[in-house]
Amino acid sequence: MGRLLTYSDKNTWIHRLCGVTKMVFFILWSIVGMITYDTRILLFMFVSSLLLFAMSKTEYHQVATVLKVILFFLLINVVAIFFFSPYQGTKIYGTRSDLLHLAGYYTFTKEQLFYELNIILKYFTVIPVALMFIVTTNPSEFAASLSKLGVKYSIGYSIAIALRYIPDIQKNFQEIKTAQEARGIDMSKNVKLIPRIKNIIAIIFPLIFSSLERIDTISNAMELRGFGKHKKRTWYSERAFQLSDYITIAFILLFSILAMVITFYDGSRFYNPFIILSFIL
Amino acid sequence: MKKEIIQFTDFTFKYRTQKRPTLKNINLTIYEGEKVLIVGPSGSGKSTLVHCINGLIPNSYEGEIEGSVLIGDKNPAKAGIFGISQVVGTVMQDTDSQFIGLTVGEDIAFAMENDCVPQDNMKDTVKKCASLVGVDSLLEHAPSALSGGQKQRVAIAGIMTNDADILLFDEPLANLDPATGKYAIELIDEIHHTTNKTIVIIEHRLEDVLHRPVDRIVVIGDGTILADTTPDELLSLSTLKENGIREPLYIAAIKYAGAIIKPNDHPSDIHSINLQYNKDKVKSWYQSIEKTEPAMDTEELLSIQNLTFSYEEEEPVLSDISFSIQKGEMISIVGRNGAGKTTLSKLICGFIRPKAGTITYKGVDMAGESIAQRAEKIGLVMQNPNQMISKPMIFDEVALGLRTRGYEESAVKEKVEHALTVCGLYPFRNWPISALSFGQKKRVTIASILVLEPEILILDEPTAGQDFKHYTEIMKFLEGLNKELGITIIMITHDMHLMLEYTNHTIVISAGTLLANDRPAKILTTPKIVEEANLKVTSLYYLAEACQITDTTGFAESFIQYDRKVNQ
């Protein structure tokens, strides 16, 4: 039973960073990744996010399922762009070099290929960082960080406790699945997709009910131990800002500014190899 | 003169959603430093009383209050939950779901975090409280990775941090195996001695709590206090039995023998009870019971040979298990938490596949059969009915297994109605499941398995969390299925009364191996097995010893036989 997308306690410098640092990094990194179409910057970000991912010692199985889902949506996204606007690339880069005529309105151009490659690259600059943020950040420490930033602690705590219960819900799901299988409700791959989905829905109902039961107990337990007593609270797992946090934040700020400057230097978000090429030729 | 710390005066409480009061005219005083046990059947108002002490009533559960209650010097309605939590620390029944922190250390610190204690002080206090209950080496662990006993220790450490004067234990034994339960009672006693705090324990397993002395026992029934006296006094009376609370087995045996128990014989402790006048009576009572050997069918139904299982590359969870089950048996599988009992049941049902060994059903190897095929022979009922119920209406829930198998609706109706009748649920067939009690829900889940007409029923902890009355109800029902329909019943349990009273064959699993395969009375009177499997020697064994009866197993069996005849 793999635990998906939950915090795992490993001792790398990324794990030791404050939650706030990682969140600031993640947000700025994503914003840059979303704004820029500068292929050079995207390539740099892609390579560095893979490096960071490796440094965090995150294993593939920790994120495999989520990754597959994201890749599935990426595929839909890429196909849909071509389907609805096959000449977006030509429009952006101002040239048109046909590669392959498909049918009727649809021709595959170098510009479109380049444009969509950029989109895929954008996904891949953000995905590793996002996944890593989740599996390397201790939920409680993250809640503590949020409250340091001025977010109400009840909100931060709700997020933390939701993250904290992901493995419990997964375990519960497995147990319920087992019970239903015993009654002959097959959820294995032997069953066709539609009845299989129907059978899986049969699990959701008991899952909700046992979770509600659980919520009642936990909220009583929290109240009995004084949660919500004061406007503020202290945090056992709070981490003080360290040198590495300052360095990381300085780096991401600097990088964001630099990336924006490079991106908008020529007045367009798009890095255009076609004009440069035609200029040279 | 001792100071009062909990004081109910003419106290009546009615939940807003209910017509009649749950607690009626309660007068109860508990003094500083006392250790008090509160017993009572489910629905007696026991849990309501707990909520009145820790302030959940009237702050979280609304209702009408008459009379007064003082906790410490505070009125819960005015002080609020937070005010009361300074005075009362509660260890809840289900330690598993009351953990909030991600690590043990964080969970222990939770109350201090809410009190804005600075981090440095907090870390010191956590260390101090953790070492007090012996979990200081586990601070970095996730609570969910601990054993049942360790979890309870963590929960206790968590309420020790704010130095509350009263420690309230709500059914501390509910989820523990017998030996771990024994340690829990010893730990509570130790805390009582070292800190001199006031201890209130709510529990229906009287005999297990009395493993260590308590100052007073309060018996609650139907919202009123039925008795409030010393354990020695209470055990001499018949209050317990009359109100559906199980007496300690040795007390029941002495009473069956026609002997009179006097408070100054010190009956609350089996090891120091004075039997001088009663010894001979017990002895002659034992000799007067005619032993009837139950006739056993010898048709082999399920045979397990050299079964071994492990997850991936890890150490085997089960190794080389062999035993066989005869048709019509009632069997208990026991052993400490994590011994491999649940794994065994999963192997039998086919959810997981063995590394080695075979499981044969009526002489045919089941290795090639799917889960669904096996489900028609062997049904599994899980501990928590909420984990099984997936339809809002009773009829649909029971029909689910048949409908997925593609039965005609007319056949479904006939089979479902039959299963509901067997389970005593026919009158409720058109009810929503949400209207049922816990025990009734349990029956719905059993009906939904029975409808597939299995010959073997495996139940995981069928009576967990049930009081004596509901326990008896469920067990009588299962016994009926066994006797009348000839269904073989396998129960995974921690409850030694259940094992002794209702099963004729016990399989003990310890650390993944088969430790014993024998009659339950034999197992519970063999200290070596008992110790290895985290069980507890039955008090009947000590009584037999004290009365110089050499056949301790025979004594335990005779007692059960007599007890069942009396209670029929």
Side-chain angles (χ1 to χ4, degrees):
Chain A
M1 244 186 289
R3 281 190 168 182
L4 302 171
L5 217 59
T6 48
Y7 169 65
S8 70
D9 192 15
K10 289 174 188 152
N11 198 10
T12 73
W13 68 272
I14 295 177
H15 285 81
R16 283 193 298 269
L17 286 178
C18 271
V20 168
T21 311
K22 275 181 273 193
M23 192 177 66
V24 169
F25 184 92
F26 168 64
I27 290 173
L28 285 176
W29 190 263
S30 311
I31 291 174
V32 171
M34 274 183 262
I35 290 176
T36 188
Y37 275 87
D38 192 310
T39 317
R40 295 161 302 181
I41 295 174
L42 286 176
L43 273 174
F44 170 76
M45 288 174 77
F46 172 60
V47 172
S48 24
S49 64
L50 283 185
L51 265 172
L52 286 175
F53 193 80
M55 280 187 206
S56 74
K57 293 192 179 149
T58 305
E59 282 153 50
Y60 175 68
H61 72 88
Q62 281 178 280
V63 295
T65 314
V66 181
L67 191 64
K68 281 178 199 157
V69 173
I70 297 176
L71 289 182
F72 176 69
F73 280 102
L74 172 61
L75 184 73
I76 292 179
N77 192 349
V78 168
V79 171
I81 291 175
F82 182 72
F83 184 77
F84 289 110
S85 112
Y87 300 108
Q88 187 67 28
T90 317
K91 220 187 288 169
I92 290 167
Y93 299 110
T95 56
R96 174 169 174 167
S97 9
D98 291 1
L99 273 178
L100 179 72
H101 179 72
L102 292 176
Y105 177 61
Y106 293 99
T107 303
F108 207 51
T109 66
K110 271 187 191 170
E111 286 78 6
Q112 186 71 10
L113 182 68
F114 186 68
Y115 168 65
E116 297 216 1
L117 275 176
N118 274 302
I119 296 214
I120 294 171
L121 211 49
K122 276 154 126 14
Y123 265 87
F124 278 102
T125 57
V126 179
I127 294 170
V129 176
L131 295 178
M132 195 176 64
F133 174 63
I134 296 174
V135 297
T136 64
T137 307
N138 177 331
S140 317
E141 196 263 327
F142 179 58
S145 297
L146 279 179
S147 106
K148 213 178 349 182
L149 285 183
V151 178
K152 243 177 105 185
Y153 74 77
S154 54
I155 296 174
Y157 215 90
S158 312
I159 299 172
I161 217 161
L163 290 173
R164 140 112 169 72
Y165 279 105
I166 292 174
D168 287 41
I169 292 172
Q170 282 172 353
K171 196 173 148 227
N172 205 0
F173 179 83
Q174 283 298 337
E175 271 167 23
I176 293 168
K177 185 170 162 233
T178 311
Q180 301 298 35
E181 276 174 340
R183 296 161 74 182
I185 300 174
D186 197 347
M187 267 156 285
S188 64
K189 285 173 183 157
N190 308 333
V191 186
K192 285 203 189 97
L193 190 66
I194 303 283
R196 197 169 146 205
I197 291 172
K198 233 170 135 186
N199 288 345
I200 289 176
I201 290 173
I203 302 182
I204 306 296
F205 200 71
L207 190 65
I208 292 173
F209 270 87
S210 47
S211 300
L212 283 179
E213 219 177 359
R214 190 83 191 253
I215 290 168
D216 197 44
T217 323
I218 200 88
S219 58
N220 272 347
M222 288 172 72
E223 229 174 339
L224 282 175
R225 295 172 66 190
F227 188 79
K229 193 187 323 191
H230 302 296
K231 281 226 166 86
K232 281 200 153 58
R233 80 197 287 274
T234 48
W235 305 81
Y236 179 78
S237 43
E238 181 174 330
R239 236 179 278 215
F241 252 59
Q242 281 166 344
L243 187 62
S244 56
D245 290 289
Y246 290 114
I247 294 174
T248 309
I249 291 198
F251 167 79
I252 187 66
L253 283 174
L254 217 66
F255 168 77
S256 307
I257 295 166
L258 199 67
M260 288 298 104
V261 169
I262 295 174
T263 304
F264 289 105
Y265 187 68
D266 54 0
S268 157
R269 298 203 280 153
F270 298 91
Y271 170 71
N272 195 334
F274 300 100
I275 287 181
I276 297 165
L277 276 176
S278 64
F279 187 74
I280 293 168
L281 292 175
Chain B
M1 187 61 205
K2 275 190 168 179
K3 197 174 157 251
E4 302 90 0
I5 195 159
I6 297 177
Q7 195 163 31
F8 288 88
T9 321
D10 299 325
F11 183 84
T12 297
F13 178 77
K14 182 177 93 60
Y15 284 100
R16 204 182 54 185
T17 49
Q18 278 173 6
K19 278 206 174 118
R20 270 178 294 164
T22 307
L23 292 177
K24 287 170 261 181
N25 211 24
I26 300 281
N27 282 298
L28 174 67
T29 308
I30 293 172
Y31 298 95
E32 228 171 37
E34 259 194 315
K35 185 180 177 195
V36 176
L37 168 65
I38 298 178
V39 294
S42 307
S44 60
K46 208 166 38 149
S47 315
T48 307
L49 192 68
V50 171
H51 291 158
C52 290
I53 296 174
N54 65 25
L56 282 175
I57 289 177
N59 298 298
S60 280
Y61 300 105
E62 288 171 47
E64 285 162 33
I65 291 177
E66 279 168 46
S68 74
V69 54
L70 281 178
I71 309 294
D73 296 323
K74 298 176 180 175
N75 176 353
K78 290 204 184 106
I81 294 185
F82 303 141
I84 295 298
S85 73
Q86 298 297 323
V87 193
V88 184
T90 313
V91 174
M92 292 165 77
Q93 190 183 125
D94 184 3
T95 45
D96 233 346
S97 58
Q98 72 173 312
F99 287 122
I100 305 156
L102 200 67
T103 61
V104 167
E106 199 187 331
D107 194 80
I108 295 175
F110 188 73
M112 290 188 286
E113 292 182 321
N114 296 325
D115 242 344
C116 299
V117 176
Q119 202 186 37
D120 292 342
N121 298 5
M122 195 145 68
K123 297 219 156 160
D124 289 342
T125 314
V126 166
K127 263 189 213 128
K128 215 178 70 202
C129 293
S131 63
L132 202 66
V133 294
V135 293
D136 40 335
S137 60
L138 304 171
L139 291 182
E140 299 298 316
H141 287 58
S144 57
L146 305 180
S147 74
Q150 287 170 332
K151 281 178 186 164
Q152 195 151 47
R153 281 163 190 262
V154 172
I156 293 172
I159 61 166
M160 302 286 288
T161 56
N162 68 349
D163 215 25
D165 292 327
I166 304 167
L167 302 184
L168 185 61
F169 294 88
D170 189 0
E171 309 229 359
L173 302 175
N175 296 304
L176 303 180
D177 64 43
T180 311
K182 203 170 107 182
Y183 299 136
I185 292 298
E186 287 167 9
L187 177 68
I188 293 172
D189 197 52
E190 221 176 279
I191 291 172
H192 184 227
H193 282 299
T194 51
T195 64
N196 213 20
K197 289 181 189 297
T198 309
I199 307 243
V200 180
I201 305 170
I202 286 86
E203 183 56 72
H204 61 260
R205 288 155 76 171
L206 179 66
E207 179 169 352
D208 295 324
V209 179
L210 287 181
H211 173 61
R212 283 285 179 272
V214 299
D215 296 321
R216 254 191 313 151
I217 300 179
V218 176
V219 184
I220 296 204
D222 201 22
T224 60
I225 290 182
L226 301 170
D228 177 0
T229 177
T230 63
D232 287 334
E233 185 85 36
L234 183 68
L235 293 178
S236 319
L237 305 170
S238 55
T239 318
L240 291 171
K241 209 170 175 199
E242 284 161 12
N243 290 286
I245 300 161
R246 189 194 282 267
E247 291 179 311
L249 294 184
Y250 64 93
I251 296 290
I254 297 170
K255 288 186 179 169
Y256 285 149
I260 290 161
I261 299 173
K262 290 195 210 83
N264 52 13
D265 288 336
H266 197 43
S268 63
D269 180 7
I270 175 67
H271 299 290
S272 60
I273 183 172
N274 175 13
L275 289 167
Q276 212 180 337
Y277 311 106
N278 293 330
K279 213 186 275 181
D280 296 330
K281 278 191 179 152
V282 172
K283 230 174 169 170
S284 57
W285 168 74
Y286 164 58
Q287 277 148 4
S288 74
I289 301 170
E290 226 176 283
K291 269 202 212 171
T292 51
E293 281 292 322
M296 269 318 301
D297 219 321
T298 48
E299 186 193 332
E300 189 181 84
L301 197 57
L302 194 72
S303 162
I304 288 171
Q305 291 300 327
N306 311 103
L307 199 65
T308 298
F309 177 81
S310 68
Y311 287 102
E312 313 271 305
E313 306 290 299
E314 291 165 36
E315 290 272 292
V317 183
L318 286 178
S319 55
D320 205 20
I321 303 260
S322 303
F323 62 90
S324 70
I325 289 173
Q326 313 298 315
K327 191 172 162 46
E329 276 192 302
M330 267 182 108
I331 292 171
S332 43
I333 299 181
V334 299
R336 68 178 75 198
N337 289 333
K341 293 168 295 178
T342 307
T343 309
L344 181 60
S345 69
K346 284 183 179 167
L347 281 167
I348 296 174
C349 294
F351 299 137
I352 48 179
R353 301 276 161 168
K355 271 267 148 75
T358 55
I359 304 172
T360 52
Y361 178 82
K362 291 187 177 169
V364 182
D365 190 350
M366 292 208 294
E369 293 181 20
S370 72
I371 298 172
Q373 281 170 320
R374 291 187 199 204
E376 283 157 35
K377 300 170 185 149
I378 304 163
L380 177 71
V381 180
M382 300 183 70
Q383 182 177 342
N384 181 353
N386 287 339
Q387 286 188 330
M388 297 186 72
I389 292 169
S390 57
K391 296 277 176 204
M393 303 302 290
I394 293 175
F395 187 94
D396 296 336
E397 176 63 25
V398 179
L400 187 64
L402 295 175
R403 285 180 178 155
T404 52
R405 281 175 170 71
Y407 277 83
E408 289 285 321
E409 203 51 32
S410 58
V412 169
K413 189 160 186 283
E414 188 190 324
K415 281 173 188 273
V416 169
E417 285 183 351
H418 178 68
L420 287 173
T421 309
V422 169
C423 298
L425 291 166
Y426 186 76
F428 309 115
R429 64 194 176 285
N430 296 321
W431 282 32
I433 288 175
S434 53
L436 301 181
S437 71
F438 184 89
Q440 288 169 323
K441 279 186 189 168
K442 185 111 209 168
R443 286 196 198 187
V444 171
T445 61
I446 294 174
S448 67
I449 297 297
L450 277 182
V451 81
L452 300 174
E453 294 163 5
E455 286 198 50
I456 300 178
L457 209 52
I458 303 179
L459 298 108
D460 195 357
E461 290 288 356
T463 57
Q466 302 294 299
D467 67 11
F468 188 47
K469 184 171 156 249
H470 292 102
Y471 157 92
T472 310
E473 232 174 74
I474 292 173
M475 289 317 298
K476 285 259 148 74
F477 166 66
L478 289 175
E479 206 175 28
L481 293 179
N482 175 258
K483 289 227 170 88
E484 280 147 40
L485 304 180
I487 295 175
T488 306
I489 293 180
I490 303 175
M491 286 170 286
I492 298 171
T493 185
H494 280 323
D495 189 329
M496 301 202 311
H497 292 316
L498 185 158
M499 154 185 176
L500 199 55
E501 249 183 311
Y502 289 96
T503 67
N504 47 23
H505 179 178
T506 297
I507 286 155
V508 187
I509 308 276
S510 173
T513 59
L514 185 81
L515 183 66
N517 179 5
D518 211 326
R519 294 196 328 256
K522 175 86 190 154
I523 285 166
L524 288 184
T525 50
T526 311
K528 198 174 153 280
I529 295 175
V530 162
E531 197 181 315
E532 230 182 297
N534 250 22
L535 302 170
K536 214 178 122 195
V537 174
T538 168
S539 59
L540 294 170
Y541 170 85
Y542 297 114
L543 180 64
E545 264 193 342
C547 297
Q548 281 116 29
I549 295 167
T550 43
D551 183 8
T552 49
T553 308
F555 181 75
E557 277 174 346
S558 299
F559 170 80
I560 295 300
Q561 195 187 314
Y562 187 92
D563 184 59
R564 301 192 57 171
K565 212 184 280 168
V566 173
N567 286 326
Q568 240 155 37

